Amino acid sequence: MSGKELEYIKQAFESNYIAPVGEFIDKFEEAVKNYVKIESALAVINGTSAIHLALRVLGIDEGDKVLASTFTFIGSATPILYQKAKPIFIDSDESWNIDPNLVEDAAKKEKPKALIVTHLYGQMAKIEQLRYLADKYGFYLIEDAAEALGAAYKNRQSGTFGDFGVYSFNGNKILTTSSGGVLASNNKEWIEKAKFLSTQAKETFLWYEHKEVGYNYRMSNILAAIGVAQMEVIDERVKRKREIFNAYKKKLSDVADFMPEIEKSRGNRWLTTLTFKDKEPLSVLKYLKKYGIESRPLWKPMHMQPVFKNAKAYVNGRSEELFKKGLCLPSGTQIKDKQIEFIINKVRECWISTEF
Ligand SMILES: Cc1ncc(COP(=O)(O)O)c(C=O)c1O
């Protein structure tokens, strides 16, 4: 937390707006809009619901093909199944993010309606190429920037290149409302439609009238109050995340390769992620755990997940390799420099410890 949250929550309580309406929702949406520089934003209960709304608004329906990053968190892809559409997973390239060449192969063969691209671990995917492919092959582009608020390509923020951008404010993200999400777009009408769907698709009658299936996806004013306070510290959070990443990289580059950043981009370095040159990540994870240090494996690719066993995939082995070799190190912005030193020392010990 930044320090201002309780003050704003108190104001929300005093206004008695503790429902999914109230001035903090407007302020939070305004803050996100102004920060990323986009026309319209909608605050919702989480990033997953924002992706679902994007698919609904774009008319993605039963049987439609949707390309998606395979190397991602599952919340990026399950909304495709909510719509009974068909996910087609696309592997990564050397950037760890989606491979535009494989996207083009799939676009030619599959005639997809949309692509959901994840900006993985806060680093920008090759968004300019993907925008070009979306226009060339006529599919919608949804940017899953759940992990990437504050990341930019050519000084333009993640989530603003696509037809829709999605940000998560889950507890583990660079900013958090405990649980929350934002759907953003330069198309105001689409955001209006998403707002309608997120509030049970209630028609503008004096009574409760519903012609379409909607959802209860709108963010509460209390959580939005937290979000307003959080948005005030986004720049310092990105700065600190990048310092943490650089501190690890400086001292561990001989034993590990770190997630790259594509040219002309600046990631938010949400998590410091690396692959070990000659060590099993799970053995390092277990060693660190003994010292109270929590590390995590990289995302297991979606095409390897049993829940997606029937989905088609365009793969090249890259994400499977990353999953086998990679680890996320503690990256919370509250971490002290001394703690980073301690973690680095413990990681290095893995190379001299007799337990291996
Ligand atoms: C890449 C990615 N997509 C989608 C989500 C879903 O966001 P939420 O947890 O807010 O539903 C997350 C994270 O939680 C994520 O990391």
Side-chain angles (χ1 to χ4, degrees), residues 46-48 51 72-73 75-76 118 144 146-147 168 170 173 180 299:
N46 52 40
T48 311
I51 295 173
T72 188
F73 175 67
S76 189
T118 300
D144 178 352
E147 303 169 355
S168 168
N170 185 29
K173 295 299 184 291
W299 300 131

Side-chain angles (χ1 to χ4, degrees), residues 71 96 121 274-275 280-282 296-301 303-305 317-327:
F71 198 32
W96 297 28
Y121 298 122
L274 45 76
T275 54
E280 265 286 300
L282 292 184
R296 299 256 180 105
L298 300 183
W299 300 131
K300 181 174 179 180
H303 70 269
M304 295 171 76
Q305 300 287 354
R318 180 83 63 170
S319 61
E320 291 187 27
E321 177 85 2
L322 288 165
F323 172 59
K324 245 191 255 158
K325 289 187 166 175
L327 209 61

Side-chain angles (χ1 to χ4, degrees), residues 290-350:
K290 287 206 316 194
Y291 295 93
I293 301 166
E294 187 190 16
S295 59
R296 299 256 180 105
L298 300 183
W299 300 131
K300 181 174 179 180
M302 292 304 111
H303 70 269
M304 295 171 76
Q305 300 287 354
V307 69
F308 288 121
K309 64 180 186 300
N310 296 325
K312 203 165 171 180
Y314 286 68
V315 292
N316 54 21
R318 180 83 63 170
S319 61
E320 291 187 27
E321 177 85 2
L322 288 165
F323 172 59
K324 245 191 255 158
K325 289 187 166 175
L327 209 61
C328 307
L329 293 178
S331 314
T333 44
Q334 77 286 1
I335 200 169
K336 307 270 185 303
D337 290 347
K338 259 184 162 173
Q339 292 173 307
I340 298 175
E341 272 311 304
F342 178 75
I343 296 164
I344 290 168
N345 289 337
K346 290 299 163 203
V347 172
R348 295 201 74 85
E349 270 175 29
C350 295

